[in-house]
Amino acid sequence: MVDSITDFSVQIAADKALVAKKQACQQLVYQFNQTRPDQGKERKQLLKQLFAQYSNTHIEPPLRCDLGTNVYFGKGGFVNYGLIILDIATVTIGDYVLIGPNVQLCAASHPELREQRMAPTACGEPISIGNQAWIGAGSIVLAGVNIGENCIIGAGSVVTKDVPANHVAVGNPCRVLRPIHQTELDELNSHQN
């Protein structure tokens, strides 16, 4: 038995250790989602218990995630309503990342072989979102995807492949639309200072 979910990519979904970790996560998620709007301090404490790394990213409830212990949040970001994180693999979200409502970060998957799906077996690949990226409303980011820093992902996109830093990408499947020019980056950075 492996102690950490991140030590392997294939896991029997009914494994007792995995089920226990998921139940502990669900308890914290439930408590977070039941907080009142004036309970910001309590929300932050629950998120610090839930995630592997968390400092001061603002997250609006409701939130859903599988384990929490594989999620790493940078500082200063904003997450709107309805974020879903399937984190059987590591999900890393950089500093000052903006995430629109109803975004799904799906680091979990299922194997292609029928025998493994019947087991049941779960697998996953890490997701990484770079600093100052913006993920538009209703977007889905799939397992194994890296989104570079300063990227803008258009609303409703399904991100199946990596997006290089400093690009706008949109669509289903998500495709790079254009680079973000240095003058645009300078303007964005001037608003944050």
Side-chain angles (χ1 to χ4, degrees), residues 101-166:
N102 300 314
V103 167
Q104 299 175 43
L105 306 177
C106 302
S109 185
H110 293 285
E112 292 180 16
L113 295 175
R114 181 179 58 90
E115 295 80 18
Q116 290 180 333
R117 286 196 314 269
M118 291 173 60
T121 301
C123 59
E125 296 179 70
I127 290 173
S128 177
I129 301 172
N131 295 338
Q132 299 177 336
W134 175 16
I135 312 299
S139 293
I140 300 171
V141 180
L142 297 181
V145 168
N146 295 301
I147 296 173
E149 65 181 22
N150 300 314
C151 282
I152 298 172
I153 305 300
S157 294
V158 178
V159 189
T160 61
K161 295 180 181 176
D162 292 353
V163 179
N166 306 313

Side-chain angles (χ1 to χ4, degrees), residues 44-152:
K44 286 184 179 183
Q45 289 304 317
L46 289 165
L47 294 171
K48 285 180 182 180
Q49 293 175 55
L50 177 63
F51 297 130
Q53 177 181 309
Y54 171 83
S55 61
N56 64 346
T57 293
H58 179 86
I59 300 175
E60 288 286 346
L63 164 73
R64 298 276 183 254
C65 65
D66 280 337
L67 302 170
T69 55
N70 291 330
V71 178
Y72 295 80
F73 268 97
K75 62 183 177 182
F78 178 85
V79 176
N80 217 318
Y81 308 106
L83 176 64
I84 296 173
I85 306 173
L86 303 182
D87 65 313
I88 197 163
T90 303
V91 176
T92 305
I93 300 164
D95 295 340
Y96 304 103
V97 170
L98 303 176
I99 298 178
N102 300 314
V103 167
Q104 299 175 43
L105 306 177
C106 302
S109 185
H110 293 285
E112 292 180 16
L113 295 175
R114 181 179 58 90
E115 295 80 18
Q116 290 180 333
R117 286 196 314 269
M118 291 173 60
T121 301
C123 59
E125 296 179 70
I127 290 173
S128 177
I129 301 172
N131 295 338
Q132 299 177 336
W134 175 16
I135 312 299
S139 293
I140 300 171
V141 180
L142 297 181
V145 168
N146 295 301
I147 296 173
E149 65 181 22
N150 300 314
C151 282
I152 298 172

